[in-house]
Amino acid sequence: MVKFRVEHQKDICIGCGACAAIDPENWEMDGDKSRLKGAEKEEGTGIEFMVVEEANLGSNKEAADACPVPCIFVKEVKE
Ligand code: SF4
């Protein structure tokens, strides 16, 4: 089964709101940054991430494409 890691490098997010506008199911604003809903935090890196099955990827790829920094990355996880 194909899974994807959705990663948000929150420390460099500029809070433009594009991700939350495109994919409100997965993204919301959190002060001057956005937040990936339900994500885990990677200690000491400023990264939040989650691993989802393809069926639950939603519009995360579109959000990544729209991010102007970019600080959203969607990568296939090899098992
Ligand atoms: S689109 Fe990118 S820069 Fe804009 S709020 Fe979302 S993660 Fe941050």
Side-chain angles (χ1 to χ4, degrees):
M1 187 175 298
V2 179
K3 290 189 176 177
F4 291 87
R5 173 183 160 107
V6 181
E7 182 175 297
H8 183 209
Q9 296 185 0
K10 194 162 181 163
D11 53 346
I12 57 172
C13 171
I14 60 171
C16 71
C19 53
I22 287 170
D23 188 6
E25 207 173 300
N26 288 301
W27 295 88
E28 63 187 358
M29 297 312 292
D30 175 23
D32 62 353
K33 307 270 185 185
S34 65
R35 172 176 25 226
L36 177 57
K37 295 180 183 178
E40 296 175 49
K41 287 186 173 52
E42 221 174 59
E43 284 307 313
T45 63
I47 288 173
E48 55 182 13
F49 72 97
M50 63 182 184
V51 176
V52 294
E53 292 178 6
E54 192 166 19
N56 297 324
L57 192 55
S59 300
N60 273 305
K61 282 185 178 171
E62 288 80 358
D65 287 343
C67 180
V69 178
C71 57
I72 301 173
F73 300 94
V74 179
K75 299 171 193 160
E76 193 173 323
V77 177
K78 305 279 185 211
E79 292 189 11

